[in-house]
Amino acid sequence: VKRENPDAVVIAAGSVPLPPPISGIENIQLTYPEDVLMERVTVGDRVLIIDEDNHHKGPATAEFLVERGKQVEVISSLFSIGEDIDISTKPLIYQRLFSKGVILSSNTAAKEVLEDRVLVSNVWSGEQRVIEGVDTIIYAGLRKASDELYKALKGEVSELYLVGDAMAPRKTHDAILEGTRVARKI
């Protein structure tokens, strides 16, 4: 970057997923929606998606996998799967998921992974159940900003900006807004 001698540099390097804070998560194959959707990993036949992203990642990944013959259950601690999906879109997504056999379990949190079983509980009543035969867990949730390049270039270039998930993991519209603001400033 410094060899190019730029007038301004905008870092929009995104974010990386973090593993969920669940006891025993290391006992099972754990992956993330982007790795599944880009087909960078092989997923087992029985999949549990932990959706704490609350947007399209969990439902989209579920639909992608069920169309490939996988058995999929999606859990979320919120009132609904994809809680933040626009109300005009959510019914269509739910219709497709339910008609394809995806199990949607809202108000449900993963507590512990025991080999091929996952202990989950209702976030309100505490009632527990075990999901048996899980091959793969896909986690749509916590992420960490990819700001290493920004930190390395700080003080090395005349104008430096950090936008989007590289600043703080959020939704796409936040990144677009920040990118637009920086572009207008430059």
Side-chain angles (χ1 to χ4, degrees):
V1 172
K2 291 190 304 188
R3 266 188 274 141
E4 294 295 322
N5 194 27
D7 295 323
V9 175
V10 179
I11 305 296
S15 62
V16 294
L18 294 173
I22 300 169
S23 174
I25 196 70
E26 67 280 354
N27 295 329
I28 200 162
Q29 179 191 7
L30 172 67
T31 192
Y32 305 94
E34 55 270 27
D35 292 328
V36 172
L37 297 171
M38 297 296 293
E39 298 183 314
R40 294 188 287 230
V41 295
T42 302
V43 174
D45 291 326
R46 180 119 166 91
V47 180
L48 176 65
I49 298 175
I50 301 172
D51 180 21
E52 298 300 333
D53 172 68
N54 312 321
H55 213 252
H56 286 280
K57 284 183 184 177
T61 305
E63 187 169 12
F64 179 84
L65 289 171
V66 78
E67 288 176 348
R68 284 155 179 76
K70 309 297 182 183
Q71 292 179 326
V72 182
E73 181 168 351
V74 183
I75 66 171
S76 175
S77 61
L78 295 179
F79 288 109
S80 66
I81 305 299
E83 179 89 6
D84 296 335
I85 296 173
D86 183 80
I87 192 65
S88 64
T89 306
K90 193 184 293 188
L92 300 171
I93 293 170
Y94 270 44
Q95 182 181 30
R96 288 195 316 265
L97 293 175
F98 280 124
S99 70
K100 293 175 182 178
V102 174
I103 299 168
L104 301 179
S105 301
S106 56
N107 301 299
T108 303
K111 293 297 182 189
E112 187 175 8
V113 176
L114 306 160
E115 295 179 16
D116 67 342
R117 299 178 318 277
V118 180
L119 176 65
V120 299
S121 70
N122 181 285
V123 297
W124 304 108
S125 70
E127 182 180 339
Q128 296 185 340
R129 70 179 171 98
V130 175
I131 301 172
E132 300 277 352
V134 176
D135 299 316
T136 306
I137 292 177
I138 300 169
Y139 181 61
L142 297 173
R143 299 186 68 82
K144 177 187 177 294
S146 295
D147 59 359
E148 297 82 12
L149 182 56
Y150 175 82
K151 289 175 181 175
L153 290 173
K154 198 164 185 156
E156 300 291 325
V157 295
S158 58
E159 278 189 72
L160 181 63
Y161 302 95
L162 184 64
V163 300
D165 276 11
M167 180 187 299
R170 290 156 292 147
K171 301 294 180 231
T172 305
H173 65 273
D174 297 307
I176 293 169
L177 178 61
E178 287 169 4
T180 300
R181 286 179 177 160
V182 167
R184 289 179 182 186
K185 185 175 182 179
I186 293 172

